[in-house]
Amino acid sequence: MDPSPPSESSADASASGSAAAAASSSSASSPAVEDIATGMAAMNLQDRFELLRGIGEECIQEDELMNLLEKKPVPICYDGFEPSGRMHIAQGIVKTINVNKMVRAGCKVKIWIADWFAQLNNKMGGDLKKIQTVGRYMIEIWKAAGMNLDGVEFLWSSEEINKRANEYWPLVMDIALKNNVKRIMRCCQIMGRNDSDELTAAQIFYPCMQCADIFFLKADICQLGMDQRKVNVLAREYCSDIKRKNKPIILSHHMLPGFKEGQEKMSKSDPSSAIFMEDDEAQVNLKIKQAFCPPNVVDGNPCLEYIKYIVFPWFETFEVVRKEANGGNKTFTSMNELIADYESGALHPADVKPSLAKAINQILQPIRDHFNNNNEAKVLLNTVKDFLKWHSDSAKFSFTT
């Protein structure tokens, strides 16, 4: 596994922070990400299936997933990301949790660093060198967060496509030929765009290319968010077009909401809507303190979603510290137990919020330590900050790309 980009100047290299000995202390603090290789060896087929299936809010199709695990010893899981700016906690921690589960289940994970795609989407002003620096910063975070890189291969789209252009571009062209513009436009939300956005011609290429990536990487499983579902379905439809029997299995993970009422998805353009991986302790505390968290209401409650999708997978428990008059300290061992207390009123938002903030800060502290103590990582972070021109003042951010 070589996370280095295709090419870089000496100045870029100093900012890259490849840091082969990136912090592993975070995994030591998390029972859920320890001893992955040992755990895999002890798992039977049903265990592997349930571990993988548990990642997805939706699976297309479960019988195909079971059949894959029966027939192929080491399935290939595809995940990818645009190096497009700051990394929020869903990209940083939820991805780490999911990748570690895939590796534990015996999969090889190919993480597609979509630098060309970010350029097509005009991220970082379309500057490929800046995009690649942001990509290195993101990889550095995953290292520090405890992602098990033994089963992970990072692949830069610009490098891989150039190496095998004679394979890639005919595939893109064939996908484009077999779909009309209306069908492709329906996939444009994968770029964070909607029907009202004015798209460039380059951005219309994007869904055809992302669909091609799945076959180019020989992926058996597409493990992406629910927001990428349409293009993954396009890949399955393409298999029908070309009479291909083995279709990629879609394993779409849940999208964490923003902290404000009614925000279905956290937004980088609204820094108060999410925890970011470089947020300090005070910023985390303030964002969670101000988060929407209505008493007795579980549905649409972002604080409870953070507990369900981040804290429980990481620690396997959720500890609430409170006064005896308010019920005393309690350690929850399941989300169902926590929901029952919350709906009944036995667990109050005033108890949930500080306990959630404490857990999130524990998870993020090793990443903070790594970027504070590792010189290469520190240079890399500061370079990305300069690109994005963000600053903090009591969790109020201003940044441009």
Side-chain angles (χ1 to χ4, degrees):
M1 184 282 296
D2 182 7
S4 301
S7 62
E8 56 185 340
S9 67
S10 57
D12 289 333
S14 67
S16 70
S18 56
S24 59
S25 57
S26 62
S27 61
S29 66
S30 167
V33 297
E34 285 184 333
D35 301 327
I36 291 172
T38 304
M40 177 189 151
M43 295 176 72
N44 59 33
L45 178 64
Q46 187 64 32
D47 290 338
R48 294 173 65 206
F49 171 83
E50 290 178 3
L51 185 59
L52 285 173
R53 181 61 188 89
I55 292 171
E57 182 171 275
E58 178 186 59
C59 177
I60 307 175
Q61 298 283 346
E62 290 187 354
D63 58 334
E64 294 177 19
L65 177 59
M66 178 62 83
N67 185 59
L68 173 69
L69 295 175
E70 286 177 329
K71 300 289 177 60
K72 190 168 183 178
V74 185
I76 294 174
C77 293
Y78 150 69
D79 196 350
F81 69 98
E82 265 192 21
S84 58
R86 303 172 70 194
M87 181 185 281
H88 53 56
I89 198 166
Q91 291 174 303
I93 299 303
V94 176
K95 188 182 290 290
T96 296
I97 290 167
N98 288 344
V99 166
N100 285 350
K101 286 181 179 180
M102 289 186 278
V103 173
R104 186 180 173 195
C107 298
K108 177 177 181 179
V109 181
K110 292 185 178 182
I111 297 183
W112 191 235
I113 311 170
D115 52 353
W116 261 6
F117 292 77
Q119 189 176 37
L120 281 174
N121 213 4
N122 200 34
K123 297 300 174 66
M124 307 302 297
D127 187 320
L128 189 61
K129 286 188 176 180
K130 288 183 178 180
I131 289 166
Q132 289 172 345
T133 301
V134 173
R136 294 192 292 272
Y137 144 80
M138 290 179 153
I139 292 169
E140 197 69 19
I141 287 176
W142 288 320
K143 289 179 180 178
M147 182 179 284
N148 179 15
L149 300 184
D150 290 342
V152 174
E153 183 178 14
F154 290 103
L155 298 166
W156 295 81
S157 66
S158 57
E159 180 179 27
E160 297 302 315
I161 292 170
N162 277 330
K163 284 195 303 189
R164 294 158 53 199
N166 62 330
E167 180 183 344
Y168 187 80
W169 292 114
L171 182 56
V172 174
M173 291 171 63
D174 195 49
I175 291 167
L177 282 167
K178 288 181 169 57
N179 290 277
N180 59 36
V181 173
K182 185 177 180 180
R183 178 69 183 90
I184 295 301
M185 292 287 286
R186 289 205 302 268
C187 294
C188 285
Q189 73 176 58
I190 62 175
M191 300 178 289
R193 309 287 175 175
N194 57 47
D195 294 340
S196 64
D197 290 331
E198 185 175 341
L199 301 176
T200 66
Q203 288 166 332
I204 296 174
F205 295 160
Y206 194 114
C208 295
M209 292 174 64
Q210 185 171 329
C211 182
D213 295 342
I214 295 165
F215 304 101
F216 186 67
L217 297 172
K218 298 178 171 55
D220 301 300
I221 300 171
C222 301
Q223 204 295 288
L224 298 163
M226 286 294 293
D227 61 338
Q228 305 295 303
R229 181 185 188 276
K230 287 184 179 179
V231 76
N232 292 331
V233 170
L234 182 70
R236 288 179 63 88
E237 292 173 352
Y238 177 67
C239 288
S240 297
D241 292 337
I242 62 174
K243 313 300 182 195
R244 171 173 163 159
K245 182 180 178 181
N246 293 325
K247 298 179 180 181
I249 296 157
I250 304 172
L251 200 60
S252 302
H253 66 253
H254 178 75
M255 304 295 294
L256 278 179
F259 275 139
K260 296 179 180 177
E261 183 177 3
Q263 283 185 322
E264 294 182 359
K265 183 181 176 183
M266 57 182 66
S267 171
K268 290 183 181 180
S269 62
D270 180 3
S272 65
S273 76
I275 303 297
F276 288 86
M277 296 300 289
E278 72 284 336
D279 281 349
D280 62 30
E281 186 171 343
Q283 290 163 351
V284 170
N285 292 342
L286 181 59
K287 288 181 181 183
I288 293 176
K289 182 179 180 180
Q290 295 176 343
F292 178 66
C293 189
N296 311 103
V297 178
V298 172
D299 291 342
N301 188 322
C303 291
L304 297 194
E305 294 230 357
Y306 265 61
I307 295 168
K308 179 177 180 178
Y309 291 101
I310 295 176
V311 178
F312 267 114
W314 197 265
F315 294 110
E316 300 177 346
T317 61
F318 179 66
E319 183 180 5
V320 171
V321 177
R322 57 190 173 184
K323 296 178 181 178
E324 287 296 330
N326 295 328
N329 297 348
K330 184 169 182 178
T331 299
F332 293 92
T333 58
S334 76
M335 194 65 198
N336 287 339
E337 180 188 12
L338 186 147
I339 286 172
D341 271 18
Y342 196 82
E343 287 181 327
S344 72
L347 181 62
H348 191 270
D351 302 319
V352 167
K353 287 186 173 185
S355 300
L356 173 58
K358 180 181 178 182
I360 296 299
N361 278 314
Q362 283 182 298
I363 292 170
L364 294 183
Q365 192 56 48
I367 294 103
R368 297 175 187 140
D369 292 343
H370 176 62
F371 280 93
N372 284 331
N373 300 328
N374 183 289
N375 288 332
E376 289 183 347
K378 187 183 298 184
V379 170
L380 179 57
L381 176 60
N382 289 334
T383 302
V384 173
K385 282 185 175 183
D386 287 342
F387 291 163
L388 300 174
K389 297 181 176 60
W390 87 63
H391 66 271
S392 61
D393 179 14
S394 299
K396 295 178 182 177
F397 292 86
S398 171
F399 55 96
T400 59
T401 57

